[in-house]
Amino acid sequence: MSTVALPSLAEILDSARVVSLPLAARFRGIEKREALVFEGPEGWTEFSPFVEYADAEAATWLAGAIDFGWRPSPPAVRDRVAVNATMPAVAASEVPRILARYDGCRTVKVKVAEAGQTLAADVARVRAVREAMGPEGRVRVDANGAWNVDEAERAVHALAEFDLEYIEQPCAEIEELAELRERIDYLDIPIAADESVRKAADPLRVARAGAADLLVIKAQPLGGVHAAREIVAQAGLPAVVSSALDTSIGLSMGVALAAALPDLDYDCGLGTASLFTVDVVASPLVARGGMLPLERPRPSSSDLDRVAATDDRREWWLDRLRRCYAALEITRG
């Protein structure tokens, strides 16, 4: 599949702004989400690989940001996308407070298997979500590959009473996912693959191995909307478009992807702007009636000033941008 030509580094740097967004609850071990945003001919775009990711992996995120900023998005087949609420690994007592930040979401993704926490804490959290959502709500859990097969099987049995829609990345390795899928087949709880797609040298291997029932697809880590859409087409599995705790700008990239998929059977994980206490635009891309519109946020200078990162973090991100840009130049010859 063709890719957009690289703009010059100077073009990117000309509008580049580094932001730091406070979170309403600790998520993935962080209390602030940093990102670098910049403007291309198609609009604002985002480069925001997590800080622990090496440059080789982060460069693919930059390719995704450039794709969104310099290449028109595929034609949309829908103008709104249903999204889930995301529940961090908080105490069960905190569940109502977090859910109150989401408007009208019928589905909740619950983070489980957090380092230092217990399965009992996971069970209590998921129970609190199920009680809040009622029998008609949809509940899915995400372990981010933290369990081995035995731990995952034990956890699935402990959580099965809550009528799970699916379990996302229970184990890290594709072979483990395949084994777990066989062990719990009788429970009829689907397995979704996330890291086994976006962090894999071959994002289609998990589908070919029959190790997952559906794929969680994130545009930026997969090289952009067009590349991610092609992966979905080739995989032949249902897809859930999700975010990586993006700003509203990055979320609009995910919405553009979700809006362009021929089939969209699951609510998407694009409601995470509700976890921020402030965003890059005055009107963040948050769910209304459980839906996000197909739109492209345009931040003002004052919007970006309000959430500007400190000078040292700004320099850290700009250095990272330059390194990843150089890596892309080498990759593309």
Side-chain angles (χ1 to χ4, degrees):
M1 186 185 67
S2 62
T3 57
V4 65
L6 279 180
S8 70
L9 180 59
E11 286 180 84
I12 297 174
L13 289 170
D14 183 58
S15 60
R17 301 287 296 270
V18 178
V19 299
S20 178
L21 309 184
L23 289 159
R26 191 173 180 85
F27 191 88
R28 286 188 88 259
I30 61 174
E31 295 177 351
K32 291 185 177 181
R33 178 66 165 118
E34 295 178 341
L36 188 153
V37 298
F38 53 96
E39 188 175 15
E42 295 296 322
W44 282 84
T45 187
E46 177 173 331
F47 171 60
S48 56
F50 291 108
V51 296
E52 67 269 22
Y53 290 1
D55 290 350
E57 182 175 358
T60 305
W61 295 59
L62 180 57
I66 291 170
D67 175 86
F68 192 53
W70 271 259
R71 188 177 182 184
S73 294
V77 297
R78 59 187 64 82
D79 61 7
R80 297 191 307 161
V81 173
V83 298
N84 65 254
T86 298
M87 182 61 57
V90 296
S93 61
E94 286 288 284
V95 164
R97 179 179 71 85
I98 300 298
L99 286 181
R101 302 186 68 85
Y102 295 89
D103 179 64
C105 292
R106 61 184 180 179
T107 303
V108 183
K109 179 168 84 169
V110 186
K111 289 291 186 177
V112 294
E114 182 92 346
Q117 294 191 7
T118 64
L119 178 56
D122 291 338
V123 170
R125 186 181 315 113
V126 176
R127 177 180 287 110
V129 170
R130 169 54 70 198
E131 289 173 351
M133 296 298 291
E136 299 303 317
R138 303 172 187 177
V139 179
R140 53 183 70 155
V141 300
D142 180 12
N144 291 113
W147 291 319
N148 61 37
V149 178
D150 289 339
E151 290 169 336
E153 184 178 20
R154 189 178 309 115
V156 170
H157 282 109
L159 297 168
E161 66 175 289
F162 304 116
D163 187 23
L164 300 182
E165 184 182 31
Y166 62 74
I167 181 167
E168 181 177 330
Q169 201 70 46
C171 306
E173 302 299 326
I174 290 175
E175 292 75 17
E176 292 176 316
L177 294 180
E179 180 180 350
L180 178 66
R181 190 164 178 254
E182 289 184 4
R183 289 193 192 185
I184 66 171
D185 179 66
Y186 71 97
L187 290 173
D188 197 28
I189 299 175
I191 289 178
D194 174 10
E195 285 87 349
S196 291
V197 179
R198 65 180 169 89
K199 295 177 77 69
D202 178 1
L204 294 172
R205 181 171 165 248
V206 67
R208 287 196 300 266
D213 300 283
L214 61 147
L215 304 182
V216 177
I217 299 294
K218 297 177 179 176
Q220 194 186 161
L222 290 171
V225 172
H226 296 85
R229 185 169 178 261
E230 183 62 24
I231 287 169
V232 174
Q234 292 186 30
L237 291 176
V240 178
V241 179
S242 193
S243 77
L245 200 58
D246 305 336
T247 76
S248 284
I249 291 171
L251 289 175
S252 70
M253 190 189 309
V255 174
L257 170 60
L261 293 181
D263 301 301
L264 198 64
D265 299 327
Y266 293 87
D267 292 349
C268 290
L270 298 170
T272 50
S274 292
L275 292 173
F276 298 131
T277 59
V278 64
D279 206 332
V280 294
V281 285
S283 298
L285 199 59
V286 296
R288 297 284 183 262
M291 309 288 286
L292 290 185
L294 177 60
E295 64 180 40
R296 192 145 189 171
R298 182 176 178 83
S300 68
S301 181
S302 60
D303 289 333
L304 296 172
D305 287 343
R306 186 176 64 251
V307 292
T310 59
D311 289 346
D312 62 322
R313 297 307 299 163
R314 178 178 181 274
E315 290 307 312
W316 187 92
W317 276 93
L318 292 177
D319 286 344
R320 188 187 206 190
L321 171 65
R322 295 183 184 100
R323 296 194 308 270
C324 290
Y325 183 90
L328 279 184
E329 284 186 307
I330 293 171
T331 300
R332 299 191 181 186

